[in-house]
Amino acid sequence: MPSEFEIIRRYFSRPARSALLGVGDDAALVEPAAGCELAVSTDLLLAGRHFAARAAPRALGHKALAVNLSDMAAMGATPRWATLALALPSADEAWLEEFAAGFYALAARFKVDLVGGDTTRGPLALCVTILGEVPRGRALRRDGAQPGDDVWVSGELGGAAFALEHPEDAAAEKRLHEPEPRVALGERLRGLASAAIDVSDGFTQDLGHVLERSGVGAVVRYADLPKFRIADPALEQRCVLAGGDDYELAFTAPQAARARIESLAAPLGVALARVGSIQAGAPRLELLDAQGRAMDVEPGYDHFA
Ligand code: ADP
Ligand code: MG
């Protein structure tokens, strides 16, 4: 069995192109571009809670990084550097090979350098910290939504949650295991969106965070939400409103930005749906059905509920 240091050397020591110093010292050295702020985010994925211990390692490598890239997208930040803390029950080389392949393939696509981490024996856990750059003062925060703004959603909602109940559905499985972080969209929304969040815990809950932080309400038309195709209406509603793991962006923007936002969809290859509007008042989400009647809003995923 390889030692801790052999694991690091063999699987996690590819040269960092955009860091002053990468893996191998006590800390990495990075230098953000002039005029940029650093955006920093961490996600911890635990076997048995966020994924099955027997999940395909290549997809896990992808997802561990993808969920962090999605946080950069939601901030309008450009991801640059990542660290990876790994707890492994054993040094399974076939597993490590595949995991590293999935991680580095996504990292290469987004020009992100793995610059450090930690490796220890323990119950399988994956923790990635990502660092990104955003021009000073231009990050997409949760607290900027204004009354009158439109509410927008990228891609489709519900596919990842649908896969949990229908693992035979290949398209849904892909949504769950290999989400596509909307980094380019986040970058293009700088200066257009007033607030943004990535949909990781369910649309109603995640939009709710924006409403809380911005101190506003919202009206959303269920019929206008972009949905993964699900035949059963009750299941559709549950997956679309409360399903997590889609990693689409929900964002708000002034009505004056409508045409510019619509024009982003084709070049980026991502659908953008205008689903409602921000209202003055208490941070409450009102969901309307096709007849304009208020619907019951289901909460999304809460680890402690
Ligand atoms: P230290 O004892 O100073 O924490 P380590 O021996 O844990 O250093 O790690 C040695 C080097 O390998 C460090 O540069 C660390 O960032 C890097 N490293 C350790 N584990 C990983 C990993 N899973 N992925 C990437 N880099 C790692
Ligand atoms: Mg260490």
Side-chain angles (χ1 to χ4, degrees):
M1 258 218 271
S3 71
E4 173 191 339
F5 302 103
E6 280 164 348
I7 292 174
I8 297 167
R9 189 176 51 75
R10 272 187 220 166
Y11 301 105
F12 301 111
S13 293
R14 296 194 198 175
R17 294 177 197 295
S18 68
L20 303 171
L21 188 60
V23 169
D25 213 307
D26 294 308
L29 297 172
V30 302
E31 185 176 35
C36 281
E37 294 171 343
L38 269 184
V40 184
S41 177
T42 296
D43 267 297
L44 172 61
L45 301 183
L46 296 180
R49 173 148 294 270
H50 301 94
F51 61 90
R54 288 164 49 210
R58 186 178 289 250
L60 278 182
H62 175 102
K63 189 158 177 175
L65 181 57
V67 299
N68 283 272
L69 294 176
S70 179
D71 284 319
M72 293 292 104
M75 293 304 285
T78 303
R80 298 291 309 278
W81 307 285
T83 64
L84 168 65
L86 272 180
L88 302 169
S90 69
D92 177 341
E93 294 208 74
W95 191 97
L96 283 162
E97 185 88 51
E98 285 289 299
F99 176 85
F103 188 99
Y104 276 113
L106 190 64
R109 268 217 282 136
F110 286 91
K111 300 191 169 62
V112 167
D113 275 328
L114 179 62
V115 296
D118 203 19
T119 306
T120 183
R121 188 189 286 255
L124 183 59
L126 318 166
C127 183
V128 173
T129 295
I130 193 145
L131 297 136
E133 292 174 337
V134 60
R136 189 170 294 138
R138 301 191 61 205
L140 306 177
R141 299 163 47 138
R142 295 180 180 182
D143 60 4
Q146 298 289 327
D149 284 356
D150 295 317
V151 179
W152 296 81
V153 176
S154 71
E156 288 173 351
L157 300 175
F162 184 69
L164 292 175
E165 300 190 29
H166 291 275
E168 76 287 354
D169 187 311
E173 277 282 292
K174 198 164 166 60
R175 296 298 169 93
L176 178 62
H177 295 299
E178 290 172 68
E180 180 63 21
R182 302 299 189 191
V183 171
L185 174 60
E187 290 171 335
R188 298 292 293 275
L189 288 175
R190 286 177 204 151
L192 287 178
S194 50
I197 191 167
D198 63 325
V199 181
S200 56
D201 294 329
F203 172 75
T204 58
Q205 178 164 307
D206 288 324
L207 182 62
H209 295 314
V210 170
L211 303 182
E212 288 281 344
R213 296 296 296 274
S214 299
V216 294
V219 176
V220 166
R221 303 167 298 268
Y222 182 75
D224 292 342
L225 285 172
K227 303 173 192 73
F228 187 82
R229 41 126 196 92
I230 298 172
D232 171 358
L235 180 60
E236 176 197 85
Q237 199 173 309
R238 214 162 1 105
C239 292
V240 167
L241 295 179
D245 271 357
D246 283 314
Y247 298 101
E248 294 296 346
L249 295 186
F251 57 95
T252 62
Q255 294 176 25
R258 272 181 198 174
R260 276 177 295 162
I261 289 172
E262 275 158 8
S263 76
L264 296 176
L268 295 177
V270 55
L272 295 174
R274 188 155 51 78
V275 302
S277 58
I278 297 294
Q279 319 269 307
R284 215 175 69 78
L285 171 58
E286 191 173 6
L287 262 180
L288 303 181
D289 68 13
Q291 283 72 45
R293 291 176 306 221
M295 297 167 66
D296 272 343
V297 176
E298 298 195 41
Y301 190 75
D302 178 336
H303 284 282
F304 294 98

